[in-house]
Amino acid sequence: MASRAAAAMVLAGALPVSPGRPLVAAGARCCDGGIRGRVSCSSHRRSDHPSCAAEEGGVVELLKGAVAALAVIAQISVSLPADAILYSPDTNVPRTGELALRRAIPANPNMKTIQESLEDISYLLRIPQRKPYGSMEGDVKKAMKIAMDNKDAILASIPVELKEKGSKLYTSLLEEKGGLQTLLKYIKENDPDRLSVALASSLDTVAELELLQAPGLSFLLPQQYLEYPRLAGRGVVEFSVEKGDGSTFFPTAGGEPKSVATIQVVIDGYSAPLTAGNFAKLVLDGAYDGIKLKCASQAIIADNENGKKGYTVPLEVMPAGQFEPLYRTPLSIQDGELPVLPMSVYGAVAMAHSVDSDEYSSPSQFFFYLYDKRNSGLGGISFDEGQFSVFGYTTDGREVLSQIKTGDIIRSAKLVQGRERLVLPPEAPAES
């Protein structure tokens, strides 16, 4: 099975893209039932995050006095309708960043159908004891038929200069080790362990093909946002984080304790071009180097809300089933609206809300969301879903997030992939 880091690079893609448009930053507030409010100030009412318990005593002072720091304003959700999607146990929301990123790629419909068939197998593999191998076999055969019957349409979606790579990936998906033929072999052998490994490989291949089919944005940005930085595709940001008190991070699977830990985030311009573009530019400008982190109930927040960096970007959320994001308009989860990039995933990365309006994001303040199903609705959806500009996911170093404490420092943040997809208009707004 591909490593977590390799899977992240697959999901990030490696193609130049056409121009897109910018977005806005936001603040976030945490509450006992999730981050119901906006992150625009700097503390939380209580600390569910295990490593943040020691900081709980200072929250009152932070709420009273922090002006430039991040504050999380408690606002508990109440009285949702009985049939609200928050309480639906069948809600179809991705539970990992990798799955959300794969679903967010705008690609050929045939490839999306193949992807959905293979994801069905992932679900069936979670069924305990006796596995429904017959259903799994049907899913693989369906995927194979679509791939073979629509080969020309699938490859026609790939730019000419990338067709050779696309043809190799297509052949790999059908025939090579870890491809669809291998899935059939392990299904017939009733071998769920090997099937799971091969399935991950097939899904990675599908994602690579889809990324070849999506070299840029599939929609036009609103005219008023054309003068902003935007990310037309995927990028990867790597954070180096060090302990503020001189202690070390402990690896979860052996190895030696480290004074500096690495966190890798895939940022997605396909669904949040303005937010991801603004963030990527800030990273290139060194805006997060040396910034302290602050722990809140369900978030780790960059303690840099000074209003002097970044651009005023509108709240940007892509609704599932739509072809372009909504701007300055949160989703109504109770009415069944769900985002393409959900916040209800551990390690989701989003911008805090502006101190002035929930319709805008903070110019520079972002947070890692520490999703906890115990503080969500019965459908496993955060009470703040659809209220923030989510623009990426932690794909490597998720285990580090639980060890971060208030006062730990981002030593550096680097855009290690996707620089060629970042579009910086010549007349970009000056920093405020």
Side-chain angles (χ1 to χ4, degrees):
M1 179 172 60
S3 67
R4 183 183 297 172
M9 298 305 280
V10 166
L11 290 167
L15 308 175
V17 286
S18 56
R21 295 167 195 175
L23 45 76
V24 190
R29 1 171 195 181
C30 287
C31 69
D32 294 339
I35 309 182
R36 182 57 180 170
R38 302 108 197 120
V39 184
S40 52
C41 301
S42 114
S43 62
H44 292 255
R45 174 182 296 184
R46 67 180 181 86
S47 237
D48 291 332
H49 183 21
S51 64
C52 297
E55 287 81 24
E56 188 173 13
V59 169
V60 174
E61 284 71 20
L62 286 170
L63 282 171
K64 291 179 179 178
V67 175
L70 306 166
V72 183
I73 303 172
Q75 180 183 346
I76 300 175
S77 302
V78 294
S79 63
L80 292 172
D83 59 349
I85 194 166
L86 288 175
Y87 291 90
S88 168
D90 299 320
T91 301
N92 184 26
V93 176
R95 293 307 178 194
T96 68
E98 289 81 1
L99 177 55
L101 288 166
R102 190 164 60 236
R103 289 185 178 178
I105 303 170
N108 180 287
N110 293 313
M111 289 306 302
K112 284 302 178 188
T113 303
I114 292 171
Q115 176 185 313
E116 291 167 2
S117 295
L118 298 184
E119 287 176 355
D120 283 344
I121 299 174
S122 294
Y123 172 78
L124 295 174
L125 278 171
R126 295 199 296 269
I127 296 176
Q129 299 174 348
R130 192 170 183 176
K131 311 289 185 185
Y133 289 107
S135 296
M136 296 182 194
E137 182 178 359
D139 284 328
V140 176
K141 289 182 176 179
K142 175 184 176 182
M144 292 180 70
K145 178 172 173 48
I146 293 171
M148 291 187 291
D149 290 351
N150 298 279
K151 178 180 178 179
D152 292 342
I154 290 172
L155 297 180
S157 303
I158 299 174
V160 174
E161 66 273 17
L162 298 168
K163 283 204 183 295
E164 182 178 356
K165 182 178 181 181
S167 294
K168 290 180 179 178
L169 286 170
Y170 175 85
T171 300
S172 174
L173 178 63
L174 284 176
E175 302 173 7
E176 293 183 10
K177 185 177 181 180
L180 300 182
Q181 292 287 359
T182 304
L183 298 186
L184 283 179
K185 176 178 181 292
Y186 292 143
I187 287 173
K188 291 178 179 177
E189 294 174 357
N190 291 2
D191 190 336
D193 295 330
R194 290 185 176 180
L195 175 59
S196 179
V197 172
L199 180 60
S201 177
S202 291
L203 284 169
D204 281 346
T205 302
V206 167
E208 286 188 81
L209 269 169
E210 289 180 337
L211 286 166
L212 290 180
Q213 297 172 338
L217 299 185
S218 58
F219 54 88
L220 296 176
L221 286 165
Q223 184 69 30
Q224 64 266 36
Y225 303 133
L226 288 177
E227 298 303 317
Y228 290 82
R230 64 265 195 186
L231 186 68
R234 293 270 167 88
V236 177
V237 174
E238 189 171 278
F239 295 94
S240 293
V241 181
E242 63 182 0
K243 285 291 186 181
D245 59 5
S247 61
T248 58
F249 292 97
F250 291 92
T252 57
E256 297 294 327
K258 300 175 293 184
S259 59
V260 178
T262 299
I263 298 173
Q264 195 171 83
V265 171
V266 173
I267 57 177
D268 182 44
Y270 291 128
S271 300
L274 301 188
T275 308
N278 180 64
F279 185 79
K281 183 183 185 301
L282 288 170
V283 169
L284 288 176
D285 291 345
Y288 299 111
D289 297 348
I291 293 298
K292 289 185 178 180
L293 295 170
K294 185 176 296 294
C295 288
S297 141
Q298 284 186 261
I300 298 170
I301 313 167
D303 197 358
N304 66 334
E305 182 56 41
N306 53 26
K308 295 183 179 180
K309 290 184 179 294
Y311 302 91
T312 302
V313 184
L315 178 71
E316 183 178 44
V317 184
M318 173 85 84
Q322 301 299 313
F323 297 101
E324 58 185 348
L326 293 177
Y327 292 97
R328 300 175 58 188
T329 305
L331 299 188
S332 176
I333 304 303
Q334 294 93 329
D335 293 332
E337 293 182 325
L338 291 172
V340 170
L341 300 179
M343 194 168 76
S344 304
V345 174
Y346 189 88
V349 183
M351 296 306 291
H353 284 161
S354 166
V355 295
D356 300 317
S357 171
D358 292 354
E359 294 183 0
Y360 291 88
S361 296
S362 159
S364 58
Q365 187 183 79
F366 77 97
F367 63 95
F368 295 96
Y369 185 61
L370 307 178
Y371 168 74
D372 186 344
K373 64 181 180 181
R374 296 171 299 180
N375 291 331
S376 304
L378 295 182
I381 297 182
S382 165
F383 290 101
D384 295 285
E385 190 64 83
Q387 306 300 304
F388 292 90
S389 294
V390 176
F391 62 94
Y393 296 94
T394 306
T395 54
D396 194 34
R398 276 188 289 257
E399 70 281 357
V400 174
L401 298 179
S402 63
Q403 302 180 47
I404 291 177
K405 296 181 181 179
T406 294
D408 290 349
I409 300 167
I410 298 176
R411 174 185 286 182
S412 66
K414 299 183 183 301
L415 184 65
V416 298
Q417 189 174 335
R419 176 62 183 86
E420 73 281 3
R421 305 181 190 97
L422 178 61
V423 180
L424 300 173
E427 300 299 326
E431 292 186 358
S432 57

